[in-house]
Amino acid sequence: MRQKQPFVSLTLADETGSASKMRFWSKNGLEAATVMGAADNIRLLLSSLSSAVCTRQSVTYPYFNEAPAPAVPGVEVEKVGVFVFTSATDGQYVIVEVPGILDECIVQDGWNAGLQIDETNVSVIAFVEAITSGLYCTPFGYETLSLVGTIVERRSK
Amino acid sequence: MALINRPAADLNFKFKDESGDTGFLGLSVPYDTLASAAILGADAMMLLLPSLTGCSVEGYSLTYSKFETAPTAPAADSRVEHKGMFSFMTDAGKTVTYSIPGILPSLVDAAGNIDEDQVAVAVFVTEITALDAVWCDSNGVDIQSLLASYELFRKTSRRQAPKKRRPD
């Protein structure tokens, strides 16, 4: 993997509601708290330079695959493997969708053939373990706990 | 006025199939997760994904966001199309330009140049060019000095134009 330059994006809005973004690139190897702190300084300075107001601030770390494996012929992003996990908060679930799910990861026999993901597949097991390792959470910050269901969906183009 | 961080940072993986169509896998990590730790996890995920998907996994991005929950009202007559352009020289001899939307008219002289003697302008320039600054150009090269600053008017995009374009 190769890192592109991290960047801060500031969104400013004017009286009419129109918005415009500014982008500042930051140096590599800096944690988000450091970059956001510097961005806070920029945002404060902008209040003396601009009549628009800042409504959003973000820092993005982009990485690209220098040598991605080519796509398998016939596989489509619209065929999605959906994994449903419980979270640390009752009633909140984490939905994880893998585009272009491989046929070998899908149940081949039985009533749920073609409909569900094969949870005994080694690659699926490794993926589920990674998702429930404690690193990932719901969009509201609650830890992802365990897999409760899977389904294969076909999305429209 | 205060920016409030989202509860989680977004980790987005990009996929592409043979036809060129793109798809995404979106995950969240708690906002206080160190970027270095999240990136380690993402790198590990990149190794797992090729055995699950037939798409080419092109890369990922990690984004931490904050939002203004109670923005102050923008100044009357503020327009994001009115830009203050600041062009800087980098250590590599190239330029990087920042475009400030809604530049204050009081900072612009009659000829359309930005008054670099104004305190607010000078402080901004110092923030960008300081030796220990966090900022750099898109290639990671340090920013050295201000080359030029001026106003510019950009076209209002269709999306920015008011919905009711005819006067009453």
Side-chain angles (χ1 to χ4, degrees):
Chain A
M1 295 298 295
R2 187 169 165 193
Q3 184 181 14
K4 291 184 184 177
Q5 219 57 40
F7 60 90
V8 164
S9 182
L10 295 172
T11 303
L12 286 82
D14 68 18
E15 183 192 29
T16 68
S18 297
S20 182
K21 285 185 181 178
M22 291 189 69
R23 179 176 288 195
F24 297 83
W25 288 276
S26 70
K27 293 174 182 170
N28 287 326
L30 298 174
E31 288 293 346
T34 302
V35 180
M36 282 296 223
D40 287 341
N41 290 340
I42 290 285
R43 181 166 48 80
L44 288 173
L45 295 178
L46 286 178
S47 64
S48 304
L49 294 169
S50 172
S51 53
V53 296
C54 184
T55 57
R56 183 174 185 257
Q57 175 180 311
S58 65
V59 56
T60 298
Y61 298 82
Y63 283 78
F64 67 95
N65 194 344
E66 288 182 287
V72 172
V75 171
E76 296 177 309
V77 290
E78 291 85 2
K79 187 175 180 181
V80 177
V82 182
F83 297 75
V84 183
F85 297 86
T86 57
S87 75
T89 297
D90 281 344
Q92 281 199 14
Y93 296 88
V94 179
I95 312 290
V96 177
E97 302 179 344
V98 179
I101 192 81
L102 288 168
D103 286 343
E104 45 262 48
C105 296
I106 298 173
V107 174
Q108 303 293 327
D109 302 303
W111 65 270
N112 55 351
L115 298 175
Q116 288 188 309
I117 294 167
D118 181 4
E119 295 178 31
T120 63
N121 180 286
V122 170
S123 300
V124 172
I125 291 171
F127 177 72
V128 170
E129 283 180 353
I131 297 292
T132 56
S133 64
L135 175 63
Y136 300 106
C137 65
T138 71
F140 298 98
Y142 299 107
E143 185 182 342
T144 304
L145 292 181
S146 60
L147 182 71
V148 290
T150 64
I151 194 168
V152 178
E153 289 187 351
R154 167 73 65 173
R155 302 281 163 78
S156 56
K157 279 192 183 284
Chain B
M1 168 170 131
L3 292 188
I4 308 296
N5 59 267
R6 294 185 63 217
D10 296 324
L11 194 51
N12 275 301
F13 296 82
K14 184 179 177 183
F15 298 69
K16 191 175 277 191
D17 66 19
E18 190 188 27
S19 70
D21 289 346
T22 55
F24 295 90
L25 161 61
L27 297 172
S28 301
V29 296
Y31 191 87
D32 58 3
T33 304
L34 291 178
S36 51
I39 287 163
L40 275 177
D43 285 346
M45 186 61 69
M46 286 293 292
L47 296 175
L48 293 174
L49 288 173
S51 55
L52 288 168
T53 179
C55 297
S56 171
V57 189
E58 308 244 304
Y60 64 85
S61 65
L62 171 67
T63 300
Y64 296 78
S65 298
K66 296 203 280 192
F67 290 89
E68 176 58 66
T69 55
T72 56
D77 298 333
S78 55
R79 292 292 184 273
V80 292
E81 295 89 336
H82 185 196
K83 308 285 190 188
M85 310 297 287
F86 291 77
S87 184
F88 294 85
M89 174 73 81
T90 71
D91 284 353
K94 296 184 178 181
T95 58
V96 58
T97 301
Y98 295 109
S99 168
I100 297 180
I103 191 75
L104 286 169
S106 57
L107 299 176
V108 183
D109 67 20
N113 299 306
I114 290 172
D115 183 358
E116 295 171 18
D117 293 330
Q118 295 239 18
V119 172
V121 175
V123 172
F124 174 72
V125 172
T126 301
E127 182 74 16
I128 298 293
T129 58
L131 281 175
D132 58 350
V134 161
W135 314 113
C136 59
D137 74 357
S138 60
N139 295 310
V141 179
D142 284 352
I143 299 171
Q144 201 180 74
S145 59
L146 182 67
L147 272 181
S149 59
Y150 52 93
E151 72 175 343
L152 198 68
F153 292 89
R154 294 286 191 199
K155 181 182 172 184
T156 299
S157 68
R158 182 177 287 272
R159 191 171 60 175
Q160 288 173 327
K163 288 186 169 41
K164 294 183 181 179
R165 294 175 197 162
R166 292 180 182 276
D168 291 335

